[in-house]
Amino acid sequence: GANATRGGGAMKLNIANPATGCQKMVDIDDDKKLGIFMEKRLAAEVEADLLGDEWAGYTLKIMGGQDKQGFPMKQGVLTKDRVRLMLAKGEQCCRGYGMRKGERYRKSVRGCIVGHNIAVLHLVITKKGAAEVEGLTDNAIPRRLGPKRASKIRKLFNLDKADDVRKFVIRREVPGKEEGAPRRASKAPKIQRLVTPVRLQRKRRRLAIKKARQVKAKVEDAEYKKLLAMRAKEAKEKKAEKASQRRSQRDSARGD
């Protein structure tokens, strides 16, 4: 009621299209259009037909948002209001610069349900409609960097295990520092999780050390048991010797 009209008004929609890498900010004042997002939670998918004719058939997923004071929405806080939570470093809504290990702060966050207090809503296109949206689907921004992990390079180029991943790594050209410099260097990422002869050699060494440790433990265990048996035998012999000495002493005492 009164709360909604007081908090109502314009909302910015920050819409991203992962397929093209484009992003667009749309200002919407119409409460009717914004009504499709109201009472929805984070990660909910919304059909965007009411936003306009160009959005027919599009589906948008709510990924996040900030309220009018700039406090972020937090997943799992089932309210429209702002709450103060104890958050540790690394948790959502707590970057934790300068925080010590185990330290927690009480921080203000907005709940995960969309209301009229939200100023910016972050959305992602999960399903494309028939029409093109200017600045989102009509243009493709190439990725600056290619994949770094060996398995992801294989997946991108549909490679076999036998193929050499190093030949397929995506290099990027780096312009020279001086303006008229003809030399253009290229940079490539260091491939992670690449199985090289050195890595296999280190693995073999690791396994050999582990095996040698097991063999050594077995040998030492056998030696220790042997030593125990020898000491037990010595103790038994000593005991028998003492008993025989006592017996002979007793016999000689009787004879006297």
Side-chain angles (χ1 to χ4, degrees):
N3 228 357
T5 47
R6 195 165 60 243
M11 189 188 285
K12 287 181 178 177
L13 301 181
N14 187 13
I15 304 166
N17 186 5
T20 60
C22 296
Q23 201 168 320
K24 189 180 183 181
M25 187 79 88
V26 182
D27 285 325
I28 293 181
D29 300 329
D30 189 353
D31 283 349
K32 206 174 192 180
K33 289 181 179 178
L34 293 175
I36 59 171
F37 301 109
M38 293 303 155
E39 307 297 325
K40 294 278 194 297
R41 293 183 193 175
L42 289 183
E45 296 200 352
V46 180
E47 290 181 3
D49 300 22
L50 279 176
L51 293 179
D53 296 336
E54 60 180 355
W55 292 100
Y58 278 83
T59 305
L60 304 173
K61 186 178 182 182
I62 302 170
M63 301 299 285
Q66 278 91 26
D67 64 10
K68 288 178 166 56
Q69 288 75 36
F71 291 101
M73 295 172 75
K74 182 169 167 65
Q75 180 67 288
V77 182
L78 300 178
T79 177
K80 280 193 265 184
D81 303 323
R82 201 153 67 216
V83 292
R84 285 169 64 77
L85 302 175
M86 289 291 283
L87 300 176
K89 182 178 180 175
E91 282 184 45
Q92 191 189 13
C93 304
C94 183
R95 283 185 285 192
Y97 296 138
M99 286 173 75
R100 298 179 66 176
K101 189 179 177 184
E103 187 179 356
R104 296 200 299 163
Y105 275 167
R106 192 171 289 283
K107 295 184 80 71
S108 290
V109 293
R110 179 66 63 176
C112 72
I113 300 170
V114 180
H116 286 286
N117 292 308
I118 301 298
V120 185
L121 207 56
H122 303 288
L123 306 162
V124 162
I125 295 173
T126 53
K127 186 185 161 200
K128 188 178 175 293
E132 298 288 336
V133 178
E134 190 192 338
L136 263 181
T137 57
D138 57 351
N139 185 24
I141 298 171
R143 279 182 148 186
R144 183 173 159 270
L145 301 173
K148 184 179 172 71
R149 193 184 296 175
S151 59
K152 293 197 173 177
I153 297 170
R154 280 198 192 95
K155 191 179 173 187
L156 180 67
F157 293 105
N158 203 13
L159 301 177
D160 245 334
K161 273 196 171 181
D163 295 319
D164 189 1
V165 179
R166 290 169 296 182
K167 290 176 184 171
F168 292 88
V169 68
I170 296 169
R171 304 188 75 86
R172 66 184 180 90
E173 295 290 320
V174 180
K177 286 185 181 176
E178 294 166 27
E179 282 185 15
R183 183 177 160 272
R184 287 169 67 85
S186 67
K187 281 187 176 178
K190 179 176 178 285
I191 304 170
Q192 298 296 317
R193 302 192 188 175
L194 185 66
V195 180
T196 59
V198 172
R199 187 170 169 181
L200 292 172
Q201 184 183 338
R202 284 178 183 157
K203 187 181 179 181
R204 282 197 300 271
R205 183 170 178 269
R206 245 193 347 262
L207 292 172
I209 288 168
K210 191 179 176 184
K211 203 172 180 182
R213 210 184 290 132
Q214 286 172 348
V215 169
K216 189 184 169 208
K218 273 186 182 176
V219 169
E220 284 178 353
D221 185 47
E223 283 177 3
Y224 181 64
K225 280 178 180 170
K226 197 176 171 185
L227 183 70
L228 281 181
M230 195 175 78
R231 289 209 178 140
K233 192 184 173 187
E234 282 175 3
K236 200 177 178 183
E237 284 172 359
K238 213 173 184 181
K239 197 178 177 185
E241 197 182 324
K242 277 186 179 176
S244 69
Q245 275 178 3
R246 278 201 297 271
R247 209 178 295 123
S248 62
Q249 281 172 0
R250 251 187 264 126
D251 291 347
S252 62
R254 273 186 201 140
D256 291 343

